Amino acid sequence: MDPDPKEDRLSGAFRRQKGLEMKNKVLIIEDEILARVGLHQLLDWKGLGFTLLEDAKDGQEAIRSIEENHPDILLLDLNIPKKNGLQILEYLRENNLDCKVIVISCNEEFEMVKEAMKLGAYDYLRKLNLSSEELQQILQKCRAEKHQSFRVREIRYEEIISHTGKDIFQDVGTYRTLLCILPHIDKQEGIFAVTEHCRRWLQKRGQEYLQIHKGAQCCYFVFDSRLPKAFYEELYRALAQRFPIKLYLGIYEGVMKEESDMNQAVALAEQINMVSYYDEEQRIHYFTEKIPAKEHSPKGMPHMQAALKQAAAEFAREETGNAISNIFSSIRQEKYISMNVLRRIFMDMLGVFSMTAQGLNGAIEEIQVRGDNCHYQCLLMISSLSEIEKWFQEFTDAFHERFLIEYKCSRSEILRSAFHYIDTHLKTQIHQSEAAKEIGVSSAYLSTVFKKEMGQNFIEYVNLRKVELAKEMLEEGLLVYEVSEILGFENCTYFSKVFKKYTEMSPDTYRKSSIVNDK
């Protein structure tokens, strides 16, 4: 028997209403447990088509829930700990978050209520004697206004690949476009802000979409029609203006009728990751098929890595930098190489430095680059060849600074003795002639060896070491004259002169700036 068209239409309307109700997520932000319980009991939330999220008991919990759950409506108490209600409203406005805020206030909070309305609150209700009819009326009004102009759907990527998200096709039938937005940002909070700004941009244009949640690197939006190139260019400009970061748009256009189609579309569109890895200047890319990525290293890679190994082992800073530049230049000439192959190359490069450090009884974990010493993990997290190259150059500088003396000492008994003398006499007046006498060489010979191997004379190196130690003492709060005496300077004036030569500021200024920064 053929299905009744009327019954099918009613069924479709029911499904659409059900999908709409699932979007009516309400977050109660209230620190008093009795008030939270009262709000829960005041209405039949599920029967009215609202989904109550887990309550937030303070401002920090509220922001975390907003970021993770994207509520549609907030019931907000203004006097909450950690971040108050006004700060929550400011956060929503700064991040262009589209949710209705109903303030629940006490009589004595009227001035705060006025400020809340200025910050964008939708309406307010008095906490005392709040009736179910009053709350229900404002919630339904809020819901009607929020959904009257556009339709939004959301789904987790896991639901697509596990075939549990079939309802996304029931209202639309066929999707035609998938957009993957890749911003170069370090923190998950950043991708959340980009996603919300994009949602708001689409909402203002009345554009219906399906949003796919997949990890914390890209935003995914699916549309039921093909969109003109100008649409993406306008979106890109809007995002670039709001977020001064490098970002890319990957677009797949094709028929998507079921989960397998959607899964394939996601895989194609997110190839924008590889394009961005190569730092392409063109930021908007259309993908119709899989990029034929090469599964082998660039030609001559073993030779280039051998050159890096030799330069690093000899602590030849310029040659090391050139070897790194040559490797990255060859990578860029043979695009696109599989990102897994590239990462193996970078791991091998880092291994060269690790072996050199081990030969000096050290480890690269003793070095910090950009505030981190987990170097292998850091390399895997960076998604740009140019940034990885910069990272290697910074790492090389830090590596030389940390291990150069150990390397020089391993090649010269005189230098090893000289550094030992300096380390043990750093808090006294150090004279080159006395150091040479204790080492057993002439002062002139020590000067010649030191200048040749270290690129600076003996006293310059001593003063630089004293200044580094002086900075630590000043940061700890010692007075300038105290540091001068401890380090064996002739007087405070000479100490200040030496300190300023290497830091371009007086020790007193450095001390005051350190105290301010600590506060």
Side-chain angles (χ1 to χ4, degrees):
M1 180 181 295
D2 294 332
D4 184 351
K6 181 178 180 181
E7 181 177 336
D8 188 64
R9 286 195 300 272
L10 290 173
S11 177
F14 173 76
R15 287 194 298 269
R16 284 193 295 273
Q17 179 62 28
K18 183 178 179 182
L20 188 63
E21 290 171 358
M22 289 303 292
K23 280 294 297 169
N24 296 319
K25 294 181 286 189
V26 179
L27 174 62
I28 296 174
I29 307 173
E30 169 65 66
D31 61 326
E32 296 179 10
I33 185 170
L34 293 179
R36 295 199 302 273
V37 171
L39 286 171
H40 276 260
Q41 296 177 347
L42 201 58
L43 294 177
D44 177 11
W45 294 90
K46 186 175 181 179
L48 291 170
F50 294 95
T51 301
L52 277 182
L53 300 172
E54 182 178 351
D55 299 338
K57 298 181 288 297
D58 59 55
Q60 288 183 359
E61 286 187 8
I63 289 179
R64 188 158 54 246
S65 180
I66 291 168
E67 292 178 350
E68 294 176 356
N69 301 308
H70 314 301
D72 302 283
I73 301 171
L74 304 183
L75 296 183
L76 176 64
D77 178 24
L78 296 175
N79 285 319
I80 52 175
K82 297 186 179 179
K83 286 185 181 292
N84 63 36
L86 297 181
Q87 290 174 307
I88 298 293
L89 285 162
E90 288 174 348
Y91 168 82
L92 296 174
R93 185 171 66 174
E94 290 171 0
N95 290 278
N96 292 318
L97 303 185
D98 181 45
C99 59
K100 303 288 187 181
V101 180
I102 302 170
V103 170
I104 309 291
S105 72
C106 297
N107 293 333
E108 62 272 21
E109 295 174 342
F110 189 68
E111 290 302 319
M112 287 186 70
V113 170
K114 288 196 297 184
E115 187 64 27
M117 300 304 290
K118 291 179 182 178
L119 289 171
Y122 178 75
D123 209 336
Y124 76 96
L125 298 170
R126 298 189 184 277
K127 185 179 295 187
L128 297 178
N129 302 319
L130 176 61
S131 69
S132 59
E133 292 78 14
E134 186 179 18
L135 178 59
Q136 180 177 332
Q137 183 179 12
I138 195 170
L139 283 168
Q140 290 176 332
K141 179 183 176 184
C142 192
R143 174 172 60 187
E145 291 186 11
K146 184 170 179 62
H147 294 289
Q148 65 183 355
S149 60
F150 70 102
R151 181 175 60 206
V152 177
R153 300 173 182 83
E154 296 182 31
I155 192 171
R156 292 173 59 83
Y157 183 69
E158 292 78 6
E159 296 179 65
I160 297 175
I161 60 177
S162 63
H163 305 287
T164 60
K166 292 185 178 180
D167 61 307
I168 64 174
F169 296 97
Q170 290 177 344
D171 291 335
V172 176
T174 302
Y175 292 95
R176 299 287 179 177
T177 304
L178 190 142
L179 168 66
C180 175
I181 303 174
L182 172 65
H184 279 211
I185 45 184
D186 297 330
K187 298 181 179 180
Q188 183 172 351
E189 293 81 1
I191 190 69
F192 170 75
V194 172
T195 302
E196 286 303 314
H197 189 76
C198 189
R199 286 162 59 103
R200 188 175 182 85
W201 188 87
L202 294 170
Q203 173 193 345
K204 287 181 178 178
R205 283 149 187 80
Q207 179 64 55
E208 297 181 1
Y209 60 85
L210 164 69
Q211 181 183 350
I212 301 176
H213 297 280
K214 183 179 186 245
Q217 288 185 316
C218 302
C219 317
Y220 298 87
F221 296 93
V222 188
F223 309 97
D224 60 5
S225 61
R226 293 194 176 190
L227 303 167
K229 184 178 180 181
F231 176 89
Y232 301 111
E233 292 174 343
E234 185 183 356
L235 172 59
Y236 179 87
R237 286 193 296 270
L239 291 173
Q241 184 177 6
R242 175 66 175 81
F243 303 97
I245 55 176
K246 185 164 63 174
L247 55 88
Y248 290 83
L249 273 58
I251 304 159
Y252 167 79
E253 293 181 341
V255 176
M256 291 169 271
K257 291 184 176 180
E258 54 188 39
E259 289 84 353
S260 59
D261 299 331
M262 193 76 74
N263 191 26
Q264 180 185 12
V266 170
L268 290 173
E270 67 183 13
Q271 290 183 115
I272 197 67
N273 283 279
M274 185 176 293
V275 173
S276 73
Y277 204 75
Y278 274 81
D279 306 296
E280 296 282 3
E281 291 186 10
Q282 181 182 341
R283 301 299 175 86
I284 302 176
H285 289 258
Y286 290 81
F287 298 101
T288 58
E289 58 186 15
K290 187 176 180 181
I291 296 175
K294 300 174 183 177
E295 295 294 337
H296 58 77
S297 300
K299 295 179 181 179
M301 182 55 65
H303 174 74
M304 288 181 282
Q305 288 183 325
L308 173 63
K309 182 177 181 180
Q310 180 177 349
E314 296 175 355
F315 276 77
R317 179 64 187 89
E318 185 175 350
E319 287 80 359
T320 302
N322 290 338
I324 292 172
S325 296
N326 289 339
I327 289 174
F328 279 90
S329 178
S330 68
I331 289 172
R332 293 188 179 95
Q333 289 173 9
E334 290 196 35
K335 62 183 183 184
Y336 294 104
I337 299 172
S338 164
M339 290 168 64
N340 288 332
V341 173
L342 294 178
R343 285 167 176 155
R344 285 199 298 271
I345 292 173
F346 303 144
M347 294 300 104
D348 291 342
M349 292 171 64
L350 195 55
V352 166
F353 291 96
S354 181
M355 293 296 292
T356 303
Q358 290 177 30
L360 299 171
N361 298 317
I364 58 175
E365 286 75 22
E366 299 173 40
I367 303 168
Q368 285 217 346
V369 179
R370 302 180 182 181
D372 200 331
N373 69 341
C374 299
H375 307 305
Y376 289 97
Q377 293 88 332
C378 286
L379 281 176
L380 293 176
M381 294 298 293
I382 302 175
S383 57
S384 159
L385 284 177
S386 60
E387 282 302 311
I388 294 174
E389 184 174 6
K390 290 178 185 176
W391 184 95
F392 265 110
Q393 299 293 358
E394 292 174 27
F395 175 85
T396 302
D397 289 338
F399 182 86
H400 277 241
E401 183 179 344
R402 169 61 187 87
F403 291 109
L404 180 61
I405 292 177
E406 281 86 344
Y407 169 73
K408 295 294 184 181
C409 288
S410 70
R411 293 162 51 90
S412 170
E413 180 65 33
I414 292 175
L415 281 179
R416 183 160 58 249
S417 299
F419 288 126
H420 177 72
Y421 182 89
I422 293 170
D423 289 341
T424 56
H425 293 78
L426 201 55
K427 293 184 178 181
T428 66
Q429 288 191 21
I430 297 178
H431 300 284
Q432 181 177 297
S433 57
E434 294 177 0
K437 182 178 180 181
E438 184 165 320
I439 294 170
V441 297
S442 70
S443 179
Y445 185 70
L446 175 60
S447 177
T448 300
V449 171
F450 208 94
K451 181 71 174 179
K452 178 182 177 182
E453 295 293 333
M454 299 303 297
Q456 60 188 149
N457 66 45
F458 182 87
I459 295 301
E460 284 179 342
Y461 177 80
V462 169
N463 284 338
L464 183 59
R465 287 290 310 278
K466 284 180 177 282
V467 166
E468 291 302 316
L469 185 55
K471 288 161 69 175
E472 294 179 11
M473 294 179 179
L474 292 169
E475 289 170 3
E476 292 171 358
L478 271 67
L479 299 175
V480 175
Y481 82 88
E482 293 175 323
V483 176
S484 177
E485 290 179 0
I486 292 172
L487 294 179
F489 282 92
E490 296 175 6
N491 53 59
C492 200
T493 301
Y494 180 62
F495 166 60
S496 297
K497 181 179 179 181
V498 172
F499 190 94
K500 191 170 184 178
K501 175 183 177 181
Y502 292 101
T503 64
E504 298 184 349
M505 69 173 67
S506 70
D508 190 54
T509 301
Y510 183 88
R511 178 179 181 275
K512 290 177 180 177
S513 65
S514 299
I515 294 174
V516 170
N517 291 334
D518 287 342
K519 291 181 178 179

